[in-house]
Amino acid sequence: MKKALLYSLILVFLSCGGVKKTQEALNSGNYMTAMNKALKNLTENKSKKNHQAYVLLLEDAFAKNAQREQEQITFLEKDGNPANLETIFKKYNALKKIQARIQPLLPLPIYEEGRDAQFNFVNYDNAILDTKDKLSAHLYANAGELLENARYKQEYRNAYNELQYLSEINPGYRQTVEKMDVAYQKGLDFVKVQIENETQQIIPARLQEELLDFNTFGIDNFWTKFHANPQNGRNYDFALNLGFREINISPERVNEKQIIKEKQIKDGYEYLLDDNGNAVKDSLGNRIKVDRLKTVRCNFYQFTQFKSAQIGAKVSITDLSNGQEINSYPLSTEFIFEHIYANYKGDRRALDNDLVALLDLAAVPFPSNEQMVYDAGEDLKARLKNIIRRHQFD
């Protein structure tokens, strides 16, 4: 009778979205999802009456998950394949972790049945330690075999990944760190970077230094090292070449534009007269004043200083093992210097506010050709950075 009432209660609470989703996860075999949802709600308030459904769902999901995981572990252990050891190790750890999350919440009373929820906790420590020892030996041997027989960089990288995982689960195991260093060094791609100038313009030394300073690019590529200054005796895998094809700098120009502005402005006041020339007064007998308007005129002279720099370049990537160009990317960018100032002749009261603001400005020196090329190169750096990020050197 009590159990019937309890399940009736669950059906009522299933109308709540959270309980319904937890039940759906349980019904579909997503036991960890069901337990996570139940634990979230019970951690907030395990004594809340409408959280009773979560207690029952957690109890059910825990039992079913433990049974399924143990059956899978038993099967994998009987199979005897060392490749299964990582899966077994992770399953044991997951079983231990879910118990550790439930433990602080106990007891979890089920009021309608007058009992506490039952969780069959198991001590997995010995199983975890035993599996970890077997897995460590397997990973170490497998990585050692990869290092001994590797012909390609990717195989060294695979060995490194095996050893890195081994170092995480079993720090200090044998010569793991030393072997990781060997795998890393042999798995690296080294890229020789160079700049070529095919134009008649001088590339600013500062721009060239910044284009070659990959440390400032913020490129996090674990398996690739860029060298702007090639090292003697180093075998490079790729060459990255930035070739400047053209640098065009326009002449310095000052364009003048004249604008004639007229405006009616207030220029004092006068008394209002009627058609007979008599003063017009208000209801209090005071003479009525009206604004006197005056037309003012101003000649506005606007000057625009203009200079531009255009850079055309090409980034090419060459596989040095066979001398083949494997990718090329055209690059183009432009930097424009523009400065506007003005003066006037006449009555400046005729000018709008936006034009008046220009009167406070004066001519400025034009940037040098070198500065123009450097400023255009700022955009070039960003484009080069994006290309390097997109390209996979392997």
Side-chain angles (χ1 to χ4, degrees):
M1 182 65 177
K2 286 184 178 180
K3 194 163 275 190
L5 285 171
L6 190 59
Y7 282 102
S8 296
L9 184 64
I10 290 178
L11 290 174
V12 172
F13 287 132
L14 278 176
S15 59
C16 301
V19 174
K20 185 177 181 180
K21 289 180 179 178
T22 307
Q23 182 69 58
E24 288 173 352
L26 177 62
N27 293 343
S28 59
N30 295 323
Y31 302 134
M32 283 305 302
T33 301
M35 286 189 286
N36 286 333
K37 290 180 182 294
L39 283 167
K40 180 179 181 297
N41 286 276
L42 292 171
T43 301
E44 291 172 359
N45 190 343
K46 72 172 188 176
S47 302
K48 200 173 180 180
K49 200 163 188 179
N50 61 2
H51 279 185
Q52 280 288 281
Y54 288 116
V55 177
L56 284 165
L57 291 168
L58 178 62
E59 183 183 49
D60 196 11
F62 176 84
K64 290 178 177 177
N65 180 71
Q67 180 182 350
R68 184 177 66 184
E69 292 300 288
Q70 190 57 63
E71 287 173 354
Q72 291 180 358
I73 289 171
T74 301
F75 173 78
L76 293 173
E77 287 177 338
K78 284 182 178 179
D79 183 53
N81 188 341
N84 295 330
L85 288 168
E86 183 177 345
T87 301
I88 296 170
F89 181 68
K90 288 180 176 179
K91 284 182 178 294
Y92 274 133
N93 274 291
L95 287 168
K96 181 178 179 179
K97 285 178 182 177
I98 196 64
Q99 290 184 170
R101 290 177 63 193
I102 295 172
Q103 181 69 49
L105 293 172
L106 299 180
L108 286 172
I110 302 173
Y111 302 122
E112 292 294 332
E113 294 187 10
R115 68 177 181 87
D116 292 334
Q118 298 298 308
F119 300 95
N120 183 25
F121 285 174
V122 175
N123 188 334
Y124 293 106
D125 289 349
N126 289 336
I128 290 173
L129 292 172
D130 182 57
T131 307
K132 184 177 76 170
D133 288 342
K134 293 176 182 176
L135 176 58
S136 298
H138 168 67
L139 291 171
Y140 191 80
N142 193 50
E145 188 175 342
L146 280 171
L147 284 174
E148 187 176 346
N149 300 315
R151 297 175 56 197
Y152 305 104
K153 290 183 182 288
Q154 187 56 53
E155 293 171 307
Y156 287 112
R157 295 176 187 181
N158 292 341
Y160 180 90
N161 292 335
E162 295 266 273
L163 292 165
Q164 184 181 44
Y165 178 59
L166 171 56
S167 181
E168 290 172 1
I169 65 170
N170 201 348
Y173 186 82
R174 299 180 67 176
Q175 294 179 307
T176 299
V177 174
E178 292 85 343
K179 288 182 180 292
M180 280 178 68
D181 185 58
V182 172
Y184 178 66
Q185 293 300 326
K186 293 190 175 182
L188 278 171
D189 277 329
F190 289 92
V191 182
K192 179 168 55 175
V193 185
Q194 54 193 15
I195 291 178
E196 292 181 357
N197 185 6
E198 301 174 13
T199 74
Q200 300 302 311
Q201 296 284 349
I202 296 175
I203 301 173
R206 182 163 56 129
L207 174 61
Q208 185 160 325
E209 288 172 5
E210 292 178 7
L211 286 168
L212 293 173
D213 185 4
F214 281 74
N215 292 326
T216 63
F217 276 36
I219 299 170
D220 185 16
N221 193 323
F222 186 72
W223 290 108
T224 307
K225 295 294 182 185
F226 298 91
H227 288 173
N229 298 307
Q231 299 174 350
N232 292 330
R234 169 70 65 190
N235 290 323
Y236 286 89
D237 304 282
F238 300 95
L240 186 151
N241 179 274
L242 174 60
F244 285 83
R245 299 298 182 85
E246 57 179 354
I247 298 176
N248 298 317
I249 302 173
S250 74
E252 299 173 356
R253 299 199 302 268
V254 180
N255 299 322
E256 180 182 351
K257 180 171 68 173
Q258 181 181 2
I259 304 172
I260 300 174
K261 301 290 287 185
E262 286 187 349
K263 184 188 292 184
Q264 280 195 325
I265 64 171
K266 294 179 184 180
D267 186 31
Y269 67 90
E270 58 188 21
Y271 291 106
L272 183 63
L273 303 175
D274 61 17
D275 293 339
N276 296 320
N278 299 315
V280 178
K281 299 180 180 180
D282 59 21
S283 59
L284 298 176
N286 298 317
R287 296 185 67 179
I288 297 175
K289 298 175 182 178
V290 293
D291 292 333
R292 181 190 299 124
L293 298 178
K294 175 184 178 181
T295 301
V296 293
R297 174 178 172 143
C298 182
N299 289 334
F300 181 82
Y301 303 96
Q302 178 176 302
F303 302 92
T304 302
Q305 294 177 262
F306 180 88
K307 186 177 182 180
S308 67
Q310 296 175 328
I311 296 178
K314 175 187 173 184
V315 177
S316 59
I317 299 170
T318 303
D319 185 340
L320 295 177
S321 66
N322 53 28
Q324 296 295 312
E325 182 179 277
I326 55 178
N327 260 313
S328 65
Y329 307 88
L331 287 179
S332 63
T333 186
E334 181 179 28
F335 177 78
I336 294 175
F337 166 80
E338 186 177 69
H339 176 71
I340 300 174
Y341 65 99
N343 58 36
Y344 72 100
K345 185 176 182 181
D347 194 327
R348 66 184 287 167
R349 291 178 296 175
L351 301 177
D352 298 325
N353 289 337
D354 59 332
L355 297 181
V356 172
L358 294 176
L359 297 177
D360 296 329
L361 303 177
V364 297
F366 280 94
S368 66
N369 288 359
E370 181 179 356
Q371 185 62 45
M372 291 292 293
V373 173
Y374 177 81
D375 290 336
E378 286 295 302
D379 180 59
L380 202 68
K381 284 193 292 183
R383 292 170 184 261
L384 177 61
K385 179 178 177 179
N386 286 335
I387 287 173
I388 295 170
R389 278 183 167 171
R390 292 199 311 266
H391 186 83
Q392 297 296 317
F393 289 89
D394 49 33

